[in-house]
């Protein structure tokens, strides 16, 4: 039977607990949010001993199901002040699932200034004082942990940003190439830093195959599921070729590509940073245009980007990062953006929050728009070193806006708005406003239906149908985030009728249960309501489910669209 | 009439990124698609002057038509 591993950083003890019956049917986001809601006082300071950091693999993680290797991390967010779940690929989730670990709960905080590492194995967790790797970047930590404990060791680590408890700090997860995937959003790296844990190693010795209640049924469902992923043009062909960055040109054409700190909706140099150009560049330099963030991924949306001399620069080079440093900061040089992406991974800072932040910093006059080299300099000289300016920048977009008196600050619940202008793609505005996570495109990705003609079509420039679209997607996403599945399985699930039943069949075959489609919808609703209740108790109410005023008053070219939902219309979201 | 035709992703292979096209009055999007050797099924997104269009949409002088295969990301 799976277990809960609990780590108390106040008295430096660990224990292995049975899984309470109420948690048995949960995994991933459903489990991290349930645990945070049950055990963390909503009004606590997110960087205090009262907060807890929870890691949980999904319900299907560790099985042979395609794309099921995602890990959820949860806590109260120091950035939003609300509940947070951030999920990532890498090797850790599958290792934890195969070790029979349902969740790791890290609570308390050391009473002295000492730093620690946690060593997770089949026998439990040991807490070890750590001196050698403090201050190092994430790439060096991964190399050092592999040298110390072996090449196969799984690693969760924080960089200097997490050690300094910056609210944009992330948690890095070692990927199959010993590079990095990130629990990016919401400042969870700062929570790990507040527990004075530099890294967590995972030893998979003694890991077993995950038990499947009905192996034949599982195999049939897994085959149907994989087929749907490969048959759909988005997951089967578009993503492996161009990666997520194919969106630059599409959003630019649609007038929804936020540019120059959200002052216009199209970027003149869009082609230079586009997915098509990136693909040609990667192929010409001998990089990889397709690559998976975890074993068993058959979509392969990631890539390995090389410099002009054919040397590794970065991987997992995503649309939102390229949009943010590109269009939003007006940087035209993809190599500069790639270098900055690598630095953000090494420093351990969210590449969405930080890209949005640089747009605000440019408006504040800290550096000029278009200054890619300036971004690299501020990352290495200020943020990585934790100077006073670096700490302001490392606090994210809202922190810089507050400090420098900028009024055009694209955030909801303090979290930076990514990559899709809510004035010209209105469905995503409802998601940004209402998500329990703060502005987060992944929590209800209406771009699929507003822009990409996946799951039907809802006109992005009109208000009609957006609240319902966002609600349905947020409910479905909360459920999918509990399975360990990559969110991109939603593309085939929205269009191919066999896909979602196959996913549910896999869960049923894994546990010997009989969930229906309605049960899965109810799980999604339960998760959203649990998260919202936590947020309300923490002081985040419907008044915080709003976009910044400038979206209402500043029309965005080329459609001259404004954000025109009333408060009452937004609040309709929660009527379920 | 003249329109600007933009192609994206795999549609550029063996074709072009952007071109001016001289078309007969009354030409619709479908006719342009077929003239490129593409099939209706291959078309994921049609954008006409920055808004979603249809295969049946009639083109006018000065229009910008953008064609995408079904792609996505996020």
């Amino acid at each position: 039977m799976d277990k809960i591993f609990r780590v108390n950083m106040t008295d430096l003890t660990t224990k292995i607990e049975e899984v309470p019956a109420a948690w048995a049917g949960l995994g991933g986001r459903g489990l991290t949010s349930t645990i945070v809601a049950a055990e963390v006082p909503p009004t606590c300071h997110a960087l205090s001993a009262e907060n807890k950091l929870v890691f949980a693999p999904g319900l299907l993680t560790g099985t042979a199901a395609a794309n099921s290797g995602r890990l959820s991390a949860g806590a109260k967010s120091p950035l939003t002040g609300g509940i947070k779940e951030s999920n990532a690929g890498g090797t850790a989730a599958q290792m934890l699932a195969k070790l029979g670990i349902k969740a790791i709960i890290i609570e308390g905080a050391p009473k002295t200034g000492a730093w620690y590492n946690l060593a997770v194995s089949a026998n439990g967790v040991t807490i070890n004082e750590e001196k050698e790797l403090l201050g190092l970047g994430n790439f060096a930590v991964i190399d050092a942990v592999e040298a110390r404990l072996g090449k196969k060791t799984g690693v969760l680590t924080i960089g200097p940003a997490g050690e300094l408890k910056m609210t944009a700090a992330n948690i890095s997860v070692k990927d199959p190439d010993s590079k990095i995937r990130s629990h990016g959003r919401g400042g969870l790296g700062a929570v790990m830093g507040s527990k004075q844990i530099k890294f967590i190693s995972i030893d998979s010795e003694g890991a077993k195959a995950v038990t499947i209640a009905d192996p034949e049924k599982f195999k049939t469902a897994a085959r149907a599921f994989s087929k749907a992923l490969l048959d759909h043009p988005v997951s089967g062909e578009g993503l492996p070729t161009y990666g997520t960055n194919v969106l630059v040109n599409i959003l630019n054409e649609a007038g929804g590509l936020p540019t120059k700190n959200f002052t216009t909706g199209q970027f003149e140099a869009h082609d230079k940073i586009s997915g098509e150009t990136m693909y040609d560049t990667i192929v010409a330099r001998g990089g990889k245009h397709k690559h998976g963030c975890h074993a068993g991924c058959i979509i392969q949306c990631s890539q390995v980007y090389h410099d002009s001399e054919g040397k590794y620069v970065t991987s997992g080079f995503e649309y939102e990062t390229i949009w943010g440093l590109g269009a939003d900061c007006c940087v035209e040089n993809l190599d500069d953006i790639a270098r900055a992406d690598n630095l953000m991974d090494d420093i351990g800072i969210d590449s969405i929050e930080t890209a949005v932040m640089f747009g605000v910093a440019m408006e504040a006059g800290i550096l000029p728009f278009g200054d890619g080299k300036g971004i690299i300099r501020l990352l290495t000289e200020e943020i990585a070193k934790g100077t006073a300016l670096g700490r302001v920048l490392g606090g994210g977009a809202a922190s810089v806006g507050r400090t420098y008196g900028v009024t055009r600050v694209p955030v909801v619940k303090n979290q930076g708005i990514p990559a899709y202008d809510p004035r010209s793609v209105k469905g995503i505005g409802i998601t940004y406003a209402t998500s329990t996570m703060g502005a987060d495109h992944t929590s209800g990705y209406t771009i699929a239906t507003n822009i990409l003609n996946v799951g039907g079509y809802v006109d992005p420039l009109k208000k009609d149908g957006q609240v319902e679209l966002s609600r349905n997607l947020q409910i479905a996403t909360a459920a999918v985030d509990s399975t360990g599945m990559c969110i991109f399985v939603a593309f085939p699930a929205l269009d191919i009728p066999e896909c979602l039943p196959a996913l549910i069949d896999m869960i049923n075959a894994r546990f010997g249960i009989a969930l229906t489609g309605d049960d899965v919808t109810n799980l999604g609703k339960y998760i959203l309501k649990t998260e919202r209740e936590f947020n309300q108790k923490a002081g985040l109410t419907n008044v915080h489910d709003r976009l910044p005023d400038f979206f209402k008053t500043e029309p965005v070219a080329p459609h001259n669209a404004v954000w025109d939902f009333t408060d009452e219309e937004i609040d309709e979201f929660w009527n379920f | 009439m003249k329109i600007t035709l933009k192609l994206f992703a795999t549609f550029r292979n063996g074709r072009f990124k952007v071109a001016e096209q001289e078309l007969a009055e009354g030409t619709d999007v479908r006719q342009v698609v077929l003239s490129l050797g593409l099939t209706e099924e291959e078309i994921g997104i049609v954008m006409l002057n920055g808004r979603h269009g249809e295969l049946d949409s009639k083109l006018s002088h000065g229009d910008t038509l953008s064609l995408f295969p079904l792609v996505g990301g996020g």
Side-chain angles (χ1 to χ4, degrees):
Chain A
M1 279 301 285
D2 288 350
K3 307 283 184 199
I4 303 281
F5 283 17
R6 192 180 289 269
V7 178
N8 185 317
M9 293 305 294
T10 304
D11 59 16
L12 304 177
T13 60
T14 68
K15 44 184 177 181
I16 298 176
E17 298 173 355
E18 300 299 320
V19 178
W23 297 356
L26 298 171
R29 175 176 171 184
L31 186 55
T32 62
S33 287
T34 296
I35 294 172
V36 171
E39 299 194 1
V40 174
T43 53
C44 77
H45 194 296
L47 300 179
S48 73
E50 288 182 291
N51 200 2
K52 303 194 183 192
L53 179 61
V54 184
F55 294 98
L59 291 168
L60 289 169
T61 307
T63 71
N67 288 70
S68 62
R70 306 279 298 186
L71 182 65
S72 287
K76 175 172 174 168
S77 164
L79 183 71
T80 68
I83 201 164
K84 175 58 63 176
E85 184 266 357
S86 172
N87 79 71
T91 62
Q94 287 161 330
M95 295 173 87
L96 294 177
K98 288 177 182 177
L99 287 167
I101 301 171
K102 183 99 172 157
I104 300 174
I105 304 173
I106 303 168
E107 56 197 29
K111 292 173 186 154
T112 70
W115 279 74
Y116 299 89
N117 73 64
L118 304 183
V120 178
S121 72
N123 304 320
V125 183
T126 59
I127 304 173
N128 311 291
E129 189 166 358
E130 179 60 45
K131 290 181 176 162
E132 189 192 330
L133 304 185
L134 298 184
L136 292 187
N138 286 312
F139 291 107
V141 172
I142 289 171
D143 288 349
V145 174
E146 286 187 350
R148 208 187 276 182
L149 301 170
K151 183 78 184 161
K152 287 184 184 165
T153 309
V155 186
L156 298 163
T157 161
I158 57 170
E163 288 185 50
L164 294 166
K165 299 189 270 287
M166 293 179 184
T167 48
N170 64 21
I171 297 173
S172 296
V173 189
K174 186 180 119 175
D175 84 357
D177 297 333
S178 300
K179 301 299 187 197
I180 287 172
R181 312 299 305 189
S182 313
H183 293 287
R185 307 226 67 191
L188 295 182
V191 177
M192 190 156 146
S194 74
K195 312 272 179 224
Q196 289 158 230
I197 296 167
K198 177 64 178 173
F199 71 88
I200 302 168
S201 66
I202 306 166
D203 174 3
S204 63
E205 186 68 38
K208 294 194 249 340
V210 166
T211 323
I212 306 285
D214 186 343
E216 273 314 304
K217 182 178 169 182
F218 189 91
K219 208 186 276 179
T220 306
R223 206 175 289 134
F225 184 73
S226 296
K227 183 174 184 307
L229 264 52
L230 293 172
D231 282 352
H232 196 273
V234 172
S235 46
E237 190 182 357
L239 282 168
T241 307
Y242 301 104
T244 57
N245 198 33
V246 74
L247 290 168
V248 164
N249 280 337
I250 301 175
L251 269 298
N252 188 69
E253 285 303 306
L257 187 74
T259 298
K260 204 172 184 185
N261 192 31
F262 285 75
T263 52
T264 183
Q266 290 179 316
F267 182 43
E268 207 177 316
H270 62 92
D271 204 49
K272 292 185 187 170
I273 61 163
S274 68
E276 288 90 336
T277 299
M278 185 166 99
Y279 172 83
D280 292 343
T281 308
I282 287 172
V283 170
R285 293 174 177 180
K288 288 184 196 163
H289 66 81
K290 60 182 203 177
H291 180 258
C293 74
H294 64 274
C297 165
I298 59 173
I299 297 179
Q300 306 265 305
C301 74
S302 177
Q303 56 297 105
V304 179
Y305 187 93
H306 287 178
D307 66 14
S308 56
E309 288 165 13
K311 284 194 196 125
Y312 175 91
V313 182
T314 195
S315 45
F317 196 23
E318 303 288 345
Y319 165 63
E320 284 72 19
T321 308
I322 297 166
W323 153 77
L325 296 182
D328 201 44
C329 293
C330 303
V331 173
E332 300 181 8
N333 184 328
L334 196 55
D335 286 339
D336 284 348
I337 300 173
R339 184 70 60 194
D341 187 51
N342 173 266
L343 286 168
M344 290 187 283
D345 280 352
D346 199 37
I347 295 165
I349 196 158
D350 179 24
S351 67
I352 298 181
E353 190 62 43
T354 304
V356 176
M357 176 280 289
F358 274 119
V360 176
M362 287 173 172
E363 176 141 348
I366 299 171
L367 72 172
F369 278 102
D371 187 4
K373 303 287 188 288
I375 288 173
I376 291 169
R377 177 176 49 79
L378 289 171
L379 283 168
T380 50
E381 298 300 315
E382 306 288 346
I383 299 178
K385 291 183 179 166
T387 63
L389 173 60
R391 287 169 187 258
V392 171
L393 301 176
S399 158
V400 171
R402 262 194 315 276
T403 310
Y404 283 82
V406 178
T407 54
R408 193 181 298 104
V409 182
V411 298
V412 179
K413 302 182 180 82
N414 254 349
Q415 183 166 286
I417 293 181
Y420 314 88
D421 199 299
R423 291 164 289 193
S424 38
V425 193
K426 293 189 190 293
I428 202 70
I430 294 294
T431 297
Y432 293 153
T434 56
S435 170
T436 50
M437 298 293 144
D440 173 4
H441 62 294
T442 67
S443 63
Y445 193 65
T446 73
I447 307 307
T449 310
N450 282 157
I451 299 290
L452 303 171
N453 293 343
V454 174
Y457 172 66
V458 173
D459 188 336
L461 291 160
K462 295 190 181 139
K463 295 203 288 185
D464 311 60
Q466 309 293 3
V467 171
E468 190 185 9
L469 176 65
S470 175
R471 184 194 294 131
N472 290 339
L473 287 170
Q474 288 198 52
I475 290 168
T477 301
V480 170
D481 283 345
S482 303
T483 61
M485 284 289 164
C486 160
I487 193 60
F488 290 158
V489 308
F491 289 114
L494 285 164
D495 279 342
I496 299 178
E498 293 80 14
C499 186
L500 193 58
L503 176 58
I504 297 169
D505 281 349
M506 287 193 292
I507 298 170
N508 287 338
R510 155 95 163 88
F511 295 100
I513 53 177
L515 295 180
T516 63
D518 283 348
D519 294 328
V520 173
T521 305
N522 287 334
L523 171 66
K525 289 179 180 173
Y526 152 79
I527 294 167
L528 293 186
K529 288 183 173 175
T530 301
E531 292 171 345
R532 172 142 163 105
E533 192 185 340
F534 181 94
N535 282 356
Q536 287 178 321
K537 288 178 185 165
L540 294 175
T541 66
N542 62 326
V543 175
H544 300 90
D545 286 356
R546 303 288 180 257
L547 299 189
D549 278 351
F550 78 87
F551 287 114
K552 294 186 217 166
T553 55
E554 297 180 10
V556 67
H559 300 299
N560 291 321
V562 291
W563 177 250
D564 48 3
F565 280 90
T566 65
D567 293 350
E568 292 71 28
E569 287 167 338
I570 297 170
D571 291 344
E572 272 297 303
F573 175 87
W574 287 104
N575 283 339
F576 63 86
Chain B
M1 64 174 179
K2 266 192 184 162
I3 68 153
T4 303
L5 178 59
K6 295 183 181 175
L7 301 179
F8 294 92
T10 46
F11 289 174
R12 290 180 176 176
N13 297 343
R15 296 192 189 88
F16 52 87
K17 264 190 207 179
V18 57
E20 299 280 312
Q21 295 227 323
E22 183 72 46
L23 301 174
E25 293 293 330
T27 303
D28 65 16
V29 173
R30 182 178 284 102
Q31 288 169 287
V32 176
V33 166
L34 297 177
S35 76
L36 291 165
L38 294 168
T39 62
E40 291 182 24
E41 293 71 34
E42 287 176 90
I43 301 298
I45 308 166
V46 172
M47 294 258 193
L48 192 52
N49 303 320
R51 290 173 184 259
H52 286 71
E54 309 279 337
L55 288 167
D56 296 329
S57 303
K58 294 272 186 231
L59 298 165
S60 307
H61 181 74
D63 278 350
T64 297
L65 173 64
S66 305
L67 299 175
F68 300 85
L70 200 56
V71 288

